[in-house]
Amino acid sequence: MPRITKKKFQENRDQILKILDDRYGTTKDGFFHQEPWQLLVAIMLSAQSTDKQVDVALPALYARFQHVEEMAEAPVEEIEDYIRSIGLYKNKAKNVKKCCQQIVGEYGGQVPDKLEEVLKLAGVGRKTATLYLADAHGIPGVTVDTHVFRISKRLGWAKGKNPEQVELELQKVLPVDHWNRINFQLIYLGREICTSRKAKCEQCPLAEWCPKLI
């Protein structure tokens, strides 16, 4: 597949991003939470699960565990009971408990606000850490999940072989004020139109700039 040149993308970038803004908005509703650690846990639980599954489980989970210390001290089996409706709940329960133990024992009960420190927490990968820092602190970051990885390569915005490479490429071609929202915009586009199995190219608002169709 041909790759759109940086010059060509830059010439049309503002128009492309405006289309995404108009269609999918510039902000996304966040997960139910009251404390930063709860937001981090919610993002951890959302991996390979739908936002709806997570949203349904969170109120009862946080009614029971209102403080990070309570989650850190809870039996894994009890945490499991509250998140059984979420995919991979057993493994996630273990990671959530260990993560909360680290937050309490190593960070004084406060989630760190530096990427390299958040990445040290159990069950937290680069995608989760970047998304947390964006949502909790407004720190600009490109979160590359499967949709962003697939679509940015299809559109010729990046050619990296792994999410971290694509993240760095997107940071170079996208304006900083769009970094945080490109994730949910491409997720919506990926679920609605540019699916992994068969893209609905005739419905795509970005078809005019897609190498596949040029």
Side-chain angles (χ1 to χ4, degrees), residues 51-119:
D51 289 357
K52 184 177 180 179
Q53 287 176 312
V54 176
D55 283 331
V56 168
L58 291 180
L61 179 69
Y62 293 150
R64 167 61 183 87
F65 305 108
Q66 298 181 26
H67 304 286
V68 65
E69 292 83 2
E70 294 174 339
M71 187 77 83
E73 296 170 0
V76 171
E77 294 77 13
E78 185 177 4
I79 299 174
E80 289 178 2
D81 288 340
Y82 284 91
I83 62 172
R84 287 183 183 277
S85 60
I86 298 174
L88 305 176
Y89 74 93
K90 283 185 174 292
N91 190 52
K92 289 178 180 179
K94 293 177 183 178
N95 283 331
V96 164
K97 177 179 173 64
K98 186 173 181 180
C99 176
C100 289
Q101 288 176 325
Q102 288 176 275
I103 292 172
V104 172
E106 300 174 27
Y107 298 99
Q110 302 297 319
V111 182
D113 59 5
K114 302 296 183 183
L115 179 63
E116 59 271 19
E117 294 299 316
V118 181
L119 285 171

